[in-house]
Amino acid sequence: MFGGSSLLKNRVKELRARFNLTQGDLAEKTGVTRQTIVSLEKGSYTPSLLLAMNIAEVFGEPIEQIFYKEEETK
């Protein structure tokens, strides 16, 4: 059993900027809406495994280099 709660964080915005992609570009490449990318970048949306894999493929990075857990501070 895991103790405490953790938040899923990501580097999508940072990587998207590095690759000169708009939110719309990334949405198109991964088969989701631009709003999904907006929510993902804000941290209010947890991606499915398939979406995370697609994003990792676009950026050529392992999933765990893009998405990571951060312990929630109380």
Side-chain angles (χ1 to χ4, degrees), residues 30 47-59 61 63 67:
T30 56
S48 66
L49 180 56
L50 182 59
L51 176 54
M53 291 173 84
N54 287 343
I55 289 171
E57 198 172 280
V58 167
F59 295 133
E61 296 227 9
I63 290 177
F67 299 93

Side-chain angles (χ1 to χ4, degrees), residues 2-8 69-74:
F2 293 100
S5 66
S6 51
L7 302 169
L8 185 67
K69 287 192 319 185
E70 189 170 273
E71 292 304 314
E72 197 168 12
T73 53
K74 293 186 175 144

Side-chain angles (χ1 to χ4, degrees), residues 21-71:
L21 294 174
T22 66
Q23 290 170 328
D25 293 337
L26 183 56
E28 195 173 299
K29 288 178 179 292
T30 56
V32 296
T33 65
R34 189 184 70 81
Q35 190 56 48
T36 298
I37 301 300
V38 170
S39 298
L40 187 63
E41 289 183 359
K42 285 195 312 192
S44 59
Y45 178 79
T46 300
S48 66
L49 180 56
L50 182 59
L51 176 54
M53 291 173 84
N54 287 343
I55 289 171
E57 198 172 280
V58 167
F59 295 133
E61 296 227 9
I63 290 177
E64 61 273 15
Q65 293 294 318
I66 301 171
F67 299 93
Y68 55 95
K69 287 192 319 185
E70 189 170 273
E71 292 304 314

